[in-house]
Each structure stands twice: as structure tokens, then as C-alpha cells.
Amino acid sequence: MPGSQPPEPIQPQIGQPPPQAALSDLLALFLFRRRHMRVDGFSMAPTLVPGDLVLITPRQARATLPALGSIVVARHPDRPATRIIKRMADVQDGGLVLLGDNPGASTDSRQFGVVPSRLLIGEVTSVVR
């Protein structure tokens, strides 16, 4: 459209890293109130690095979305068997904009677009190093 501005490029919004897991987090894991996942890759570096174990609060159906800036786990929109860890940067068109903290090493919404919210697995609550 003449005179319209191109959309601004999506930029990662690096926020706070998740806290170190406390005894209560580990207890929640053993009581099946948390799930765990090992980080594989550098897309979230320096916040999360390969080998870090993250604890995840599973998302319940109809639950509110995590806050912008939260680190979340979702299914990859093009490869549903693959789980991805990214930062929730925005909500657009009924989907989530998920970005890695390390753009040079991340495949994220800049490549595959918004992720349907139904693919959200949960929010990272803590890390075990």
C-alpha cells in the first residue's frame, strides 16, 4: 500500500534468567507438578546453555498465557515432535511470537512465524545447573 510503513523487525527481548531450582521446585518435579527438559543448543545463550536442565510448569487448557518475556517450551510449528525453548516476545494474530536470546544461533518466529498457542507446553520456572 503506498505510503504505508513496513512492519518493524521482531527483536528479542532478553529478560531475567530463570532462578536456580530450590528444594520446593524439585519436590514439585517428584510430585509430577513440574516437567523437566534438557537444553540442547545455543539459541537461548547466555541465559540457558546446552546441558542445563530446566523445570517447566505445564500449561493447563484454558489457562492464561505466561507473561511477555517469560521463557517457555512449545512444540515446533513445522515439526510437532520437536520441543523448543524460547522467550515469549509477543502475542500476534492469535499466536505467540517466540524468540531465542541468541539470534545468530536461533531458529524462531523470525523464520517460522507465530506459534499457535495450542502448541505451548509450559513455562520454564527454574534451572538446575
Side-chain angles (χ1 to χ4, degrees), residues 9 11-12 29 39 42 48 53 56-57 60 66 71-75 85 89 91 100 110 115 126:
Q11 298 295 324
L29 176 66
V39 175
F42 290 93
L48 298 171
L53 182 71
I56 303 154
T57 299
Q60 304 298 321
I71 299 173
V72 298
V73 176
R75 297 198 180 285
I85 299 177
V91 178
R110 289 171 284 218
V115 176
S126 58

Side-chain angles (χ1 to χ4, degrees), residues 43-55:
S43 71
M44 288 299 294
T47 308
L48 298 171
V49 295
D52 283 351
L53 182 71
V54 294
L55 301 183

Side-chain angles (χ1 to χ4, degrees), residues 13 44 66-72 86-89 98 123-124:
Q13 298 175 351
M44 288 299 294
L68 295 181
S70 298
I71 299 173
V72 298
K86 304 293 176 193
R87 194 172 297 276
M88 197 165 102
L98 302 181
E123 181 178 0
V124 173

Side-chain angles (χ1 to χ4, degrees), residues 11-87:
Q11 298 295 324
Q13 298 175 351
I14 298 175
Q16 295 294 319
Q20 188 73 16
L23 184 58
S24 60
D25 295 308
L26 298 175
L27 180 61
L29 176 66
F30 291 116
L31 294 174
F32 303 105
R33 293 189 180 136
R34 299 278 190 281
R35 295 169 68 184
H36 68 282
M37 181 177 169
R38 188 150 315 268
V39 175
D40 180 32
F42 290 93
S43 71
M44 288 299 294
T47 308
L48 298 171
V49 295
D52 283 351
L53 182 71
V54 294
L55 301 183
I56 303 154
T57 299
R59 181 170 187 255
Q60 304 298 321
R62 302 186 200 283
T64 59
L65 292 173
L68 295 181
S70 298
I71 299 173
V72 298
V73 176
R75 297 198 180 285
H76 191 289
D78 299 327
R79 297 185 306 267
T82 301
R83 297 177 299 173
I84 57 175
I85 299 177
K86 304 293 176 193
R87 194 172 297 276

